[in-house]
Amino acid sequence: MKITVVGDFGIDIYENLAITKPGGIAFNFAYHFSQDNTDSKISLVAALGDDKNGKILKKLARSLSLNITNIQTLKGLTPLQKIKLVNGERNFTGYTAGVLKKWKLDKEDLDFLAKQDVIFIPLSDGMEHIFNKIKNLKTKAIKIVDFSQDYEFADFDNEENVITK
């Protein structure tokens, strides 16, 4: 099965622990899914900066056997999330979208995505333009969406906005 994850791949900085880790919803999903599904080919479609962090993350993804053919390297900063761990809970204290602000899916990305069996994409602030491209993509792929609780237009008190079964 060909499974592709589209979206945020960046650096998580745990400020009060002095720990830096790879992160981003898309990367986390791709990583964890690849650990349990060795029969599937997991691809990551994302944008990284041409900075040191981008180079480190690309090398890491390659070492995890993720297909990174469709990771774009753009001039600028790799996405960065600042986090404080308090009583076991993550508190997000600052986000820099970096190159995600200017990232666009190109024809090669869209052709690649159209041939997948499953496409996973998180919908979060700043990713609407990418989400809309995926939403409108003509494909037989199953499309899975993570509607981020942090998304500014999310209204989870309204039953119509919550997907049950």
Side-chain angles (χ1 to χ4, degrees):
M1 184 176 289
K2 297 180 289 187
I3 301 167
T4 297
V5 182
V6 182
D8 189 6
F9 181 20
I11 296 288
D12 288 347
I13 298 174
Y14 288 82
E15 298 176 298
N16 58 333
L17 303 176
I19 295 173
T20 300
K21 293 185 172 194
I25 298 169
F27 172 75
N28 292 339
F29 183 91
Y31 170 74
H32 290 289
F33 199 79
S34 71
Q35 300 305 295
D36 294 331
N37 292 281
T38 54
D39 295 340
S40 299
K41 182 64 178 171
I42 312 298
S43 300
L44 190 54
V45 176
L48 295 172
D50 60 356
D51 57 356
K52 178 182 170 186
N53 288 333
K55 291 178 178 90
I56 291 169
L57 292 177
K58 221 174 191 182
K59 183 177 178 181
L60 171 67
R62 210 178 278 116
S63 76
L64 296 169
S65 298
L66 297 173
N67 175 11
I68 60 169
T69 304
N70 293 83
I71 289 185
Q72 295 179 28
T73 300
L74 303 175
K75 187 170 180 56
L77 298 174
T78 295
L80 181 75
Q81 177 71 64
K82 292 183 181 178
I83 304 167
K84 285 189 179 173
L85 195 61
V86 180
N87 298 322
E89 293 292 324
R90 294 179 303 161
N91 293 315
F92 298 97
T93 59
Y95 181 69
T96 302
V99 296
L100 288 182
K101 288 181 181 179
K102 58 185 172 186
W103 177 40
K104 293 182 180 8
L105 295 173
D106 60 24
K107 183 178 180 342
E108 185 178 314
D109 294 328
L110 295 171
D111 289 345
F112 174 78
L113 288 164
K115 296 174 188 164
Q116 302 306 295
D117 298 313
V118 177
I119 301 169
F120 171 85
I121 182 168
L123 176 57
S124 53
D125 293 331
M127 293 293 296
E128 295 88 355
H129 64 293
I130 300 294
F131 174 81
N132 287 328
K133 284 282 191 183
I134 301 295
K135 181 177 77 171
N136 296 319
L137 181 67
K138 302 284 188 238
T139 180
K140 292 182 181 179
I142 296 169
K143 297 174 186 176
I144 302 170
V145 179
D146 176 357
F147 294 99
S148 172
Q149 213 167 343
D150 297 337
Y151 182 58
E152 70 178 84
F153 299 112
D155 178 4
F156 295 103
D157 293 329
N158 182 345
E159 192 173 305
E160 294 174 5
N161 293 335
V162 178
I163 298 174
T164 52
K165 183 177 183 211

